[in-house]
Amino acid sequence: MSIVTVILSRAFKAFVTLLAIAVLNFCLLHAAPGDPAVVLAGEAGAADEQMIEQLRERFGLDQPFHVQLGKYVGSVLTLDLGYSFRQGAPVAQLIAERLPATLLLTLTAFVISLVLGIAFGVAASARVGKASDSLLTTLALLFYATPLYWAALMAVLIFSVWLGWLPGFGYETVGAGYTGLARAFDIAKHLVLPALTLGLFFMAVYMRMTRASMLEVSQLDFVKTAKAKGLSGPAIRRRHILRNAILPVVTLAGLQAGQLVGGAVLTETVFAWPGIGRLMFESLAARDYNTILGVFLVSAAMVILFNIVTDIVYRLVDPRIGAKA
């Protein structure tokens, strides 16, 4: 099966999946307790029945459930995510403004976790049973067991408050007016703490997976044959062991890449990072249902996209998979 065929097949499945997710999200949110019209009327200081009915009629909440669902699905099919009456702007515009920050954070954290995880996993497998192996394994277990929000708070406390090495909050320095490389460097400084906090948790998973996979592959017959031919240890690990051991790591990375979006909600909230994770948190607190549905849909699309990319990378890493398909 060619790469083009795989992409088209995955794209069709992604469309069906996203449509099902949109319907499910709408049903779940509609079943949640609370009435956004009552909340808005209360905040406006006019929580009488007439005002509430006017708000329901304005937002379409007075219509039957199936009518609301049909209109929502129709809007999604036309890429219209609705309007946020809370923030006075289209939901698509709000998400488009926040999405680059989330992509920057999640992709940076993903690269950090994958590169460090594989590197430390290979190093630990090459020194199995030694002190360095025990140290790396213990650190990985520590990062994995530490709650994400606690690690984020401790990172701010230590590196921003106590040491003053890095900024602890925000996307860039407010009012600095940086442009060009100066602005890029300023954003990079603000990115370090949230990206490392989010990436170290997943780095621990990839490191342990790489180490276990490297040790398993090293016992196979073709590795013993390579040793009998007189190849050096580093060459065997790089050309033979790592190439085969990395396949389950790629699979796991693709599956967990979507979890980075979920982890970004906590990370963005703690570090005041202006991404869609923080937007979703603010929208939940404000009962901004249109924005919540939009963020859920975009987050699901990102997870599905990560999985499609994983399938393609998997076939590039191991061409035998495409041949079998």
Side-chain angles (χ1 to χ4, degrees), residues 105-116:
L105 173 60
T106 53
L107 291 177
T108 303
F110 181 72
V111 171
I112 289 174
S113 62
L114 194 58
V115 172
L116 292 182

Side-chain angles (χ1 to χ4, degrees), residues 7 38 101 126 151 167 179 194 245 263 266 297:
I7 294 176
V38 174
T179 58
L266 287 174
L297 189 64

